[in-house]
Amino acid sequence: MTALRVRQVGPGVAVQDLGRAGFLAKGLTRGGAADRLAVAEGAALLRQSRDLAVLEMVGTGGTFEATADIRIALTGAEMTAQIDGANVAWNASHKVPKGGILTIGPTRTGTYGYLHVGGGFATEVMLGSRATHQSCGLGALVTAGDLLLVGQDKSDEVGLTLPRDTRFDGGTVRIVPSMQTGDFAEDTRARFEQTTFRRDPRANRQGIRMDSDGEGFSTPKALGIVSEVIVPGDIQITGDGTPFVLMAESQTTGGYPRIGTVLPCDLPRVAQAPAGAALQFQFVTLDEGAAIEARARAAWDTLPKSATPLVRDPASIQDLLSYQLVGGAVSATDTPLDKG
């Protein structure tokens, strides 16, 4: 039996995958990983499907013991990580030997960190997914003493890494018009784009509050909105004028006006922004948004090609002759500074 035994674990750690599609009409949002890009990155590092289940960690990870040789990958928010006391790189794949201890500590950057295993976590499938959906009572948080079964691993390759991007520090988030965008005055929409928001500490997998200086954002038609379907990425404006970005476990209907909707490819930037990080929203048209999303999905599909060895073997470098291997070399006997 291949598994990870949980010796100690932080709060909010849960098994996730890409979520449950097709249940919105029945009152169940997709759920799944808050940072879907991190799931794709881990799959690329382990050369396996991105549909496999992973472990999502918030703030800190835990201590895990391998019952057999296991391949792992670490992606998302960077956390301290050690295998049998030796530091290991983040955004990379590694081997944990049988009996080995994997320790994942506090977050350094970002919010959600991910632990992937070769073969994926083989927890119970519920409604076609292994994702823990806390607000709907599907699955449960990981606790000390749990034995997390691991599926069959079809590879043994480790020692790969991927470059990290900038989604862990806030930044610009692209949005498209939503159902009530036109109900907001033009100058209100312009002010919304020009405002630098701060990611409020009041946030969870259902939604993230955006804090800012100055007056809030409102529309006179707010009280006349009938409750209707909403999706992750929608930006609701509450009665006091505060924006909330809805996340993976958002409710399925709501009556607050929506000033816009975050592109799915930019939602990981919102999810990973640490408390206090600056975020700014930029409107794009539906056609522009569709093109941006298509490019992002194509880039995600090419992630396996972007994975490179942590330590490059000269024998496997196809363009070895293009490297300058002697720059900075000095002679132990020649002393040019002593020559007149």
Side-chain angles (χ1 to χ4, degrees):
M1 177 183 64
T2 303
L4 277 183
R5 191 181 308 277
V6 183
R7 288 189 168 187
Q8 176 272 330
V9 70
V13 176
V15 173
Q16 298 292 350
D17 55 22
L18 296 180
R20 298 172 176 82
F23 292 95
L24 192 62
K26 299 182 183 300
L28 178 63
T29 43
R30 182 195 70 222
D35 182 352
R36 295 162 70 86
L37 175 53
V39 175
E41 290 171 334
L45 289 168
L46 293 175
R47 307 301 197 196
Q48 62 186 15
S49 170
R50 67 181 70 168
D51 293 325
L52 297 178
V54 305
L55 208 62
E56 182 178 88
M57 304 168 289
V58 189
T60 190
T63 304
F64 310 90
E65 178 185 356
T67 65
D69 290 352
I70 292 177
R71 293 189 309 141
I72 68 163
L74 303 166
T75 67
E78 184 179 358
M79 298 173 166
T80 59
Q82 297 178 326
I83 297 176
D84 289 333
N87 293 331
V88 294
W90 204 263
N91 238 45
S93 59
H94 310 278
K95 178 181 178 180
V96 182
K98 180 179 180 179
I101 303 298
L102 169 65
T103 303
I104 302 176
T107 302
R108 288 173 170 167
T109 60
T111 299
Y112 293 96
Y114 292 86
L115 167 61
H116 314 249
V117 293
F121 288 102
T123 54
E124 181 184 358
V125 176
M126 297 170 287
L127 298 179
S129 169
R130 292 185 166 91
T132 302
H133 200 304
Q134 299 175 47
S135 59
C136 290
L138 293 173
L141 297 179
V142 174
T143 61
D146 285 352
L147 191 66
L148 302 175
L149 298 180
V150 175
Q152 183 180 2
D153 193 358
K154 299 179 180 179
S155 176
D156 60 1
E157 185 177 11
V158 292
L160 296 176
T161 186
L162 282 170
R164 289 179 68 77
D165 66 17
T166 61
R167 71 183 186 275
F168 305 96
D169 303 313
T172 300
V173 176
R174 292 160 295 189
I175 62 177
V176 292
S178 188
M179 298 294 289
Q180 288 84 38
T181 302
D183 291 345
F184 290 86
E186 184 176 348
D187 62 337
T188 300
R189 299 196 302 270
R191 184 166 57 85
F192 184 81
E193 277 194 288
Q194 295 163 5
T195 298
T196 298
F197 293 93
R198 295 180 298 276
R199 200 263 204 187
D200 196 285
R202 287 166 283 186
N204 54 32
R205 286 177 45 82
Q206 290 183 286
I208 298 176
R209 186 180 190 273
M210 294 290 140
D211 190 21
S212 67
D213 300 324
E215 63 178 305
F217 305 87
S218 63
T219 168
K221 298 183 179 181
L223 296 179
I225 297 173
V226 177
S227 186
E228 58 189 2
V229 64
I230 54 178
V231 296
D234 279 347
I235 306 174
Q236 289 188 321
I237 305 295
T238 56
D240 62 356
T242 301
F244 278 78
V245 180
L246 302 185
M247 304 303 290
E249 291 187 12
S250 66
Q251 67 275 26
T252 57
T253 60
Y256 288 116
R258 290 166 287 175
I259 198 168
T261 301
V262 177
L263 294 183
C265 63
D266 279 3
L267 208 51
R269 184 177 297 276
V270 180
Q272 291 290 10
L279 290 163
Q280 194 160 12
F281 297 99
Q282 177 187 13
F283 277 106
V284 296
T285 66
L286 287 175
D287 287 342
E288 290 171 336
I292 293 168
E293 192 65 26
R295 289 195 296 269
R297 292 181 183 273
W300 291 16
D301 289 340
T302 62
L303 281 172
K305 297 180 180 179
S306 301
T308 57
L310 271 170
V311 179
R312 301 196 69 183
D313 181 356
S316 66
I317 301 177
Q318 297 180 357
D319 57 345
L320 179 62
L321 294 179
S322 68
Y323 283 76
Q324 210 277 66
L325 303 178
V326 297
V330 297
S331 170
T333 59
D334 187 28
T335 55
L337 295 179
D338 292 340
K339 298 178 181 179

